[in-house]
Amino acid sequence: MFHASRRGDLFDIYRTTSYRIFAILSSSPAKERALMTAIAAFLRKTPVIRLQDYFTAGGFTSLAPIDWTKPEPEVVEPLIKAVDAMSDDEKQRVVLDAARVAALADEPGQNALQNVVVNRAVFDTLEGANNRSLWVFLNENDRFRLAEEVRYNDERRRGRSWSGFGVDPDLAVKKDPVSLAAFTAAIRARFETPNVHVDIFDRHRVILEGEECELVQVAVYREGRPEDMLGFDANSTLSRRIVKPVFEAALTYEAATGVIEVVAKTREDRIDLTRYMARDLLGITLDEKQSLPLREYDLSMLLRPFDFPTEPADGIAGVTVKELRLMDLGDAKERITLESMSGADRTIWQMAEHRIGLDIGGGARILGGVGDAAEWVVTRARFTIKFHPGPDGGRGKSLSLTVTMPHGCNLKDMTPQERLIGEKYLRLWGILKDDNDEGDILE
């Protein structure tokens, strides 16, 4: 049997241009050039001393000799050519390793590594994200895999595959063999598979204002039902192969708040996995009514000009409302959408009064109407947070937030750092309501 890992599922975390090399492993000339361009970019961004560690430890028999003592510019170019001349199997191993390392070389990946690495004394002194990522890959490979699990979980928080449950706080997560065996057996029975692997480890997560919360994460891998797929065998003959995919789920428990979060494909899967964790690893019984409420948003303040206060430390140059969707409470079958394009001379509120006579200052009523004046509510808003340029100059970054009443927001599609700043200001402006908010875990 051929076992295929389907972890984002797995490969969703390799989304930037460098990681698309997975799709170009076939041997057409154009794809081969694209492959080597991606590999060359990775090799140029990684210190030679770390590349030497990798290729020396890797046992690559088809790699031509490299003089690692030469200055870095005189090592990298010959190394790129040597990798290009490697055997297909060994070159593809470099491709896959480089993709995994590069996937944890961006800011969320570095945060994930920092969550789990053991030797922080060395890790924190290394310069360069690729350098740190490859160092962990080589020296703490088991922790590297845990970092991949951290990122898998955190990228899916509050998305469609996420659920949260409030249970008792200050519980200890059991990690003894008996408890782990019971938890694993329940998963085997639930998904009707003999092959299940579970990792349990301590980690932290950055929340608001740079503070950290302590978590225990449980990563679950289970084998799926056999599938057949077309493939080429060693003789380049097209044939069918039996594939058993591996599916991943992730659970976290925060003792300080008593919150369990779970990422899995279906709601039924999430409820069952959380119930098993509560029973076998926390020693409690989960009531389905303990699921956390949805976040609630209020856009009523946008019916009139709003100043959007910010804190200087966050480097925000300004906030602009780009779109408002309005509904007449007397006729819910119709909507009006106002959109302000880049370079517009009027604010969205000035445009509302100019174009449709919407009197913002008069309680959001139409001027000059016949009979009863319409009463409007904002059902959706899109606004842009513009940041000052960084120390390197250039254009400042922008963060576009879209909020739809009463529970919708695009925060779940953003990076962890973008979510932090977005949540902070949605709360500060009174748009994200905290009445039932459990801190950093509601959606």
Side-chain angles (χ1 to χ4, degrees), residues 326 336 338 351-359 366-367 376:
L326 302 159
I336 292 177
L338 302 170
M351 184 176 69
E353 184 172 347
H354 176 73
R355 295 295 182 186
I356 62 174
L358 183 60
D359 180 15
I366 295 291
L367 295 172
W376 298 89

Side-chain angles (χ1 to χ4, degrees), residues 133-167:
S133 183
L134 184 53
W135 183 88
V136 179
F137 182 83
L138 293 171
N139 294 278
E140 296 184 10
N141 192 259
D142 57 333
R143 310 305 289 184
F144 187 93
R145 183 166 59 83
L146 296 184
E148 291 176 314
E149 293 170 356
V150 167
R151 181 161 186 176
Y152 172 87
N153 176 77
D154 288 357
E155 284 199 335
R156 288 157 181 77
R157 293 184 72 225
R158 305 193 191 93
R160 295 182 178 180
S161 59
W162 176 92
S163 293
F165 299 85
V167 299

Side-chain angles (χ1 to χ4, degrees), residues 13 73 103 130 163 225 232 269 283 290 303 306 315 334 360 407:
I13 64 174
N130 276 35
S163 293
R225 292 185 174 87
F232 288 96
D269 291 351
Q290 292 173 281
L303 282 170
F306 189 73
E334 296 181 356
I360 298 294
H407 302 302

Side-chain angles (χ1 to χ4, degrees), residues 113-307:
L113 287 168
Q114 195 174 49
N115 271 210
V116 300
V117 69
V118 174
N119 194 341
R120 285 288 297 273
V122 172
F123 179 84
D124 291 342
T125 61
L126 297 174
E127 296 183 356
N130 276 35
N131 188 17
R132 288 187 291 270
S133 183
L134 184 53
W135 183 88
V136 179
F137 182 83
L138 293 171
N139 294 278
E140 296 184 10
N141 192 259
D142 57 333
R143 310 305 289 184
F144 187 93
R145 183 166 59 83
L146 296 184
E148 291 176 314
E149 293 170 356
V150 167
R151 181 161 186 176
Y152 172 87
N153 176 77
D154 288 357
E155 284 199 335
R156 288 157 181 77
R157 293 184 72 225
R158 305 193 191 93
R160 295 182 178 180
S161 59
W162 176 92
S163 293
F165 299 85
V167 299
D168 299 336
D170 300 320
L171 298 174
V173 179
K174 301 176 183 177
K175 302 177 184 178
D176 61 277
V178 174
S179 300
L180 184 58
F183 179 67
T184 304
I187 297 170
R188 287 196 184 105
R190 164 65 170 77
F191 294 101
E192 299 178 349
T193 177
N195 295 319
V196 173
H197 176 84
V198 175
D199 288 325
I200 303 179
F201 56 97
D202 298 323
R203 53 162 296 204
H204 65 267
R205 175 185 291 136
V206 177
I207 52 176
L208 294 177
E209 305 296 342
E211 297 180 0
E212 296 180 353
C213 64
E214 300 300 322
L215 306 171
V216 177
Q217 180 161 328
V218 181
V220 176
Y221 301 91
R222 63 174 178 86
E223 188 176 65
R225 292 185 174 87
E227 301 173 1
D228 67 332
M229 61 181 294
L230 287 173
F232 288 96
D233 60 21
N235 298 318
S236 297
T237 301
L238 185 65
S239 60
R240 289 194 174 275
R241 295 183 295 173
I242 301 300
V243 175
K244 288 190 175 181
V246 176
F247 296 94
E248 182 175 2
L251 304 99
T252 60
Y253 172 70
E254 183 182 353
T257 60
V259 169
I260 296 176
E261 299 182 51
V262 56
V263 173
K265 187 175 182 180
T266 68
R267 176 168 174 77
E268 291 74 18
D269 291 351
R270 297 193 291 274
I271 291 174
D272 287 344
L273 288 169
T274 306
R275 184 179 294 117
Y276 303 152
M277 179 182 181
R279 182 192 64 199
D280 299 327
L281 303 182
L282 296 174
I284 60 174
T285 300
L286 176 70
D287 184 344
E288 189 174 336
K289 296 179 181 179
Q290 292 173 281
S291 60
L292 300 173
L294 293 172
R295 281 182 165 174
E296 294 184 1
Y297 298 92
D298 180 4
L299 296 171
S300 60
M301 71 286 297
L302 298 183
L303 282 170
R304 55 191 58 82
F306 189 73
D307 289 336

